[in-house]
Amino acid sequence: MTKKTLFAVTAALGFGAASFAAGFATAKGTAKLEITPMSELTWMPLMKEGPLPAGAAIEGDSTKGAYYGFLKLPAGFESPPHMHTNEYWSVLIQGQMTHWAADGGSEKDSKAIGVGGVTHMPGKMAHISKCYPGADCIMAVMQKGKSDFLPATAPAPKK
């Protein structure tokens, strides 16, 4: 082993140990467990017309950038054709729902998902989302950029 390689290995181990110690000290000294029952979430209506659809933040601010949060749709809800600038991933945690492409897709050909079902919606893909009757649909949503709702008739935004 050359002196240069030995130095690199020693430096890497040193930085790794220092990072671990700093992380451990931070976690031990300032970490705080947070538990919030679903019934205590603060739901923010997304439309003026009523309390649902609504969102509840977990981390980040969906109006400013990347975020993780909940989206609640009322039972029986069907969205108009729309798209979002940024792709998102969601896991359905309550209800039953589906999504289909606005251009060439149909509810008949879509796949219904229940609790635990995962959706990946590409950015700028015009689609329709439907929450079946029976229970409000709640999704845990992660989006790498801010959330928006663009009517499908609007031109796709350019990045």
Side-chain angles (χ1 to χ4, degrees):
M1 188 178 291
T2 66
K3 286 184 181 180
K4 190 174 184 180
T5 304
L6 182 59
F7 175 75
V9 170
T10 304
L13 289 173
F15 286 129
S19 297
F20 176 79
F24 183 75
T26 300
K28 187 175 179 183
T30 61
K32 179 181 155 191
L33 174 66
E34 293 182 43
I35 297 175
T36 306
M38 186 74 71
S39 62
E40 293 178 16
L41 292 174
T42 302
W43 292 95
M44 302 300 293
L46 301 177
M47 302 167 74
K48 302 182 258 190
E49 293 81 16
L52 294 179
I58 296 173
E59 181 176 89
D61 182 339
S62 66
T63 65
K64 295 181 179 171
Y67 72 97
Y68 181 53
F70 294 109
L71 174 64
K72 185 190 289 190
L73 304 174
F77 175 84
E78 184 174 318
S79 74
H82 68 284
M83 64 183 114
H84 310 283
T85 302
N86 300 291
E87 67 185 329
Y88 73 80
W89 293 261
S90 68
V91 176
L92 190 63
I93 62 171
Q94 179 180 296
Q96 183 178 15
M97 68 181 304
T98 191
H99 309 272
W100 63 90
D103 184 19
S106 70
E107 179 180 358
K108 179 178 70 95
D109 296 328
S110 69
K111 192 181 288 187
I113 58 172
V115 171
V118 176
T119 299
H120 170 250
M121 185 63 66
K124 302 176 193 160
M125 176 183 235
H127 64 281
I128 298 166
S129 299
K130 180 175 183 174
C131 176
Y132 292 111
D136 292 342
C137 292
I138 300 176
M139 298 178 284
V141 179
M142 190 283 297
Q143 198 164 12
K144 290 184 178 181
K146 76 176 193 169
S147 180
D148 55 14
F149 184 93
L150 306 168
T153 55
K158 302 217 189 270
K159 278 212 170 189

